């Protein structure tokens, strides 16, 4: 163990307990300012009490750990789904998408001139829920979560491709008509 080691982890990410805000901080007692750092963390948590998880989930995690000798980890499953969705998105003409590292969210870029909010609304009418990239400061993108089954990812990507094709064709027809 290194003298200056501080370990921070979140069960929210490690075992897919999104929103639970449950994790831990381990400070090496021999680390510089370890006592004041621990005091600061504790005081900050008291001031921001909304960050404390309900006691029920804390007890559930202890029970799961005792029963299974560890806590579940979904990272391999997420990696398969992210890789699959990324490959499917790249196969859609007009989309570009950087493969994420360490998250299950993908943020493909739409072709120029396609409004991300309007596109998200059209997808929603077809049963595919995405968040417009403009909500994250990335206009012209959509945000997807690679959480559904592989079959559902395939179906969603088929809808994205269909709606995008219609949008691109409508844009091209408008441009031809206005020349």
């Amino acid at each position: 163990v290194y003298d200056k080691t501080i370990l921070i982890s979140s069960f929210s990410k490690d075992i897919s307990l999104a929103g639970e805000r449950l994790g831990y901080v381990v400070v090496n007692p021999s680390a510089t300012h370890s006592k004041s750092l621990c005091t600061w963390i504790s005081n900050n948590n008291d001031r921001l009490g909304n960050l404390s998880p309900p006691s029920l989930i804390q007890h559930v995690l202890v029970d799961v750990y005792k029963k299974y000798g560890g806590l579940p980890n979904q990272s391999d499953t997420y990696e398969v789904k992210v890789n699959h969705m990324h490959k499917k998105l790249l196969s859609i003409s007009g989309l570009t998408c950087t493969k994420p590292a360490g998250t299950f969210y993908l943020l493909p870029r739409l072709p120029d001139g396609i409004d991300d909010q309007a596109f998200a609304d059209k997808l929603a009418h077809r049963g595919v829920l995405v968040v417009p990239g403009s909500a994250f400061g990335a206009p012209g993108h959509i945000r997807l979560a690679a959480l559904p089954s592989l079959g559902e990812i395939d179906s969603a990507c088929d809808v994205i491709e269909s709606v995008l094709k219609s949008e691109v064709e409508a844009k091209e027809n408008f441009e031809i008509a206005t020349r």
Side-chain angles (χ1 to χ4, degrees):
V1 176
Y2 301 100
D3 288 343
K4 297 180 181 179
T5 299
I6 298 173
L7 175 63
I8 302 170
S9 188
S10 166
F11 295 122
S12 299
K13 303 297 182 200
D14 293 349
I15 62 171
S16 309
L17 287 176
E20 290 300 333
R21 307 296 185 250
L22 183 62
Y24 57 90
V25 178
V26 179
V27 179
N28 186 329
S30 64
T32 307
H33 309 295
S34 64
K35 188 168 180 91
S36 61
L37 178 59
C38 289
T39 300
W40 182 85
I41 291 169
S42 179
N43 289 341
N44 203 35
N45 194 47
D46 287 344
R47 281 187 214 105
L48 303 171
N50 61 334
L51 299 179
S52 298
S55 60
L56 175 63
I57 194 67
Q58 295 177 49
H59 291 287
V60 168
L61 284 177
V62 170
D63 289 347
V64 168
Y65 190 83
K66 285 179 180 176
K67 182 174 181 176
Y68 297 104
L71 298 172
N73 184 319
Q74 297 292 324
S75 60
D76 292 341
T77 303
Y78 290 149
E79 185 176 7
V80 168
K81 291 178 178 188
V82 165
N83 289 340
H84 185 76
M85 182 177 272
H86 183 252
K87 183 177 177 182
K88 291 291 288 185
L89 291 170
L90 290 180
S91 73
I92 298 173
S93 178
L95 283 186
T96 58
C97 185
T98 301
K99 187 173 167 188
T103 183
F104 50 69
Y105 296 107
L106 291 94
L107 197 69
R109 179 173 178 75
L110 300 169
D112 289 341
I114 304 294
D115 177 79
D116 58 320
Q117 179 65 56
F119 190 74
D121 290 343
K122 289 177 182 172
L123 290 176
H125 283 94
R126 299 270 308 267
V128 175
L129 301 179
V130 303
V131 180
S134 54
F136 299 96
H141 293 75
I142 54 173
R143 183 180 191 230
L144 302 112
L147 297 176
S149 70
L150 297 180
E152 291 167 324
I153 289 172
D154 289 343
S155 297
C157 287
D158 290 344
V159 171
I160 292 169
E161 183 173 31
S162 173
V163 171
L164 183 60
K165 183 178 178 185
S166 295
E167 289 296 298
V168 169
E169 287 174 0
K171 183 179 169 235
E172 289 171 353
N173 289 338
F174 176 77
E175 289 171 356
I176 290 170
T178 58
R179 285 186 193 162

